[in-house]
Amino acid sequence: MITIFGIKNCDTMKKARNWLDNHGVGYRFHDYKSEGIDEAHLAKWIASEGLDVVLNRAGTTFRKLTDEDKANLSEDKAIALMIAQPSLIKRPVLEANGAITIGFKPELYEALFSSSR
């Protein structure tokens, strides 16, 4: 099962979903805004890719956090913040073929799916 996680109206999400659609890759879309995200998924992604890859520090949601929220940002604290504010998670997160891919670059998707077509 291929699942892409993100936010419906995110431009990068739209590019990733268009790529999947145009290449005939079936997937399930999990929208953080309507479905939320659980601690188990976030912990798995962080274990695989690292907190600095999963946590979107460049977005406006992170910049709007209080200094207290940004201070001493442990993995547990970051997970709690991402559950409360899913816009803090980099997008998209793609779970496919036993791999986790965070962010969208056409060449990454091409490499991931070229052997399955």
Side-chain angles (χ1 to χ4, degrees):
M1 164 66 79
I2 297 170
T3 305
I4 189 168
F5 296 81
I7 296 170
K8 182 178 168 182
N9 293 325
C10 168
D11 288 339
T12 306
M13 283 298 307
K14 289 176 187 175
K15 290 176 189 174
R17 291 176 69 195
N18 283 338
W19 190 98
L20 293 169
D21 292 340
N22 292 336
H23 289 82
V25 177
Y27 62 91
R28 180 177 112 56
F29 172 56
H30 179 107
D31 189 336
Y32 300 135
K33 294 288 187 177
S34 61
E35 298 179 62
I37 192 65
D38 58 38
E39 183 177 342
H41 275 94
L42 292 169
K44 179 172 75 170
W45 299 341
I46 291 168
S48 173
E49 304 300 310
L51 179 60
D52 289 337
V53 174
V54 177
L55 180 64
N56 184 6
R57 295 175 191 262
T60 56
T61 304
F62 186 83
R63 289 194 297 273
K64 289 180 181 177
L65 290 176
T66 65
D67 289 341
E68 183 180 336
D69 281 341
K70 292 179 194 175
N72 303 315
L73 200 56
S74 68
E75 183 175 315
D76 288 340
K77 185 177 179 181
I79 287 174
L81 287 168
M82 288 185 279
I83 289 171
Q85 299 183 64
S87 294
L88 289 169
I89 306 166
K90 283 190 187 167
R91 307 176 286 279
V93 176
L94 182 75
E95 290 185 351
N97 303 332
I100 296 168
T101 304
I102 299 178
F104 172 70
K105 291 185 179 169
E107 60 273 16
L108 290 176
Y109 278 37
E110 186 65 42
L112 186 63
F113 294 109
S114 64
S115 62
S116 62
R117 284 189 266 146

